[in-house]
Amino acid sequence: MEGMSPYGITIIRFGLSGVLVWFGASQLMDAASWVGYVPEFIPSLLGIPVTTLVLANGSVEIACGILLLLGVFTRVVAFVMGVHLALIAASLGNTAVAVRDWGLAAAFTGLVFTGAGAWSVDR
């Protein structure tokens, strides 16, 4: 089974890619449903409307999801998304959504250390 490790990582990479693309597309299709998740200080700090932040976040998540699917810049994308999700989870407090996001952040962090696995451009 040791020789199968690259395939396990690939399955994790594909799964995380799907999560990013799904959430990103959801944000692009219905940004209004996501504005409540943006901490109040961020739009005022950046001077950007909250809906614009949601649309930008959705676009970045889709782009990162596609890069992960292809296995391009996997470690960098995993690091960025891991930090991003950890910050989101920290802002949500003690909720079920936060626990999910901590788990996803941990999976992304694992990819930082393992790399893309099989079936990737990075390989």
Side-chain angles (χ1 to χ4, degrees):
M1 289 300 260
E2 186 65 32
M4 302 302 282
S5 294
Y7 299 104
I9 297 304
T10 300
I11 292 167
I12 292 168
R13 193 181 86 236
F14 285 177
L16 289 172
S17 170
V19 169
L20 288 176
V21 170
W22 189 90
F23 277 99
S26 178
Q27 290 169 63
L28 293 182
M29 290 186 291
D30 187 14
S33 293
W34 291 88
V35 297
Y37 290 102
V38 179
E40 290 181 20
F41 72 91
I42 292 185
S44 58
L45 178 71
L46 299 176
I48 299 172
V50 67
T51 303
T52 303
L53 288 170
V54 170
L55 293 171
N57 187 71
S59 298
V60 169
E61 287 187 0
I62 289 172
C64 287
I66 291 168
L67 289 173
L68 274 184
L69 180 67
L70 298 173
V72 177
F73 304 120
T74 301
R75 291 176 194 265
V76 173
V77 170
F79 177 78
V80 169
M81 286 292 101
V83 169
H84 176 65
L85 280 164
L87 292 171
I88 290 171
S91 76
L92 294 173
N94 188 19
T95 65
V97 174
V99 171
R100 178 208 57 207
D101 287 349
W102 281 119
L104 290 169
F108 279 114
T109 302
L111 281 182
V112 171
F113 292 103
T114 63
W119 302 330
S120 68
V121 173
D122 286 347
R123 189 163 174 92

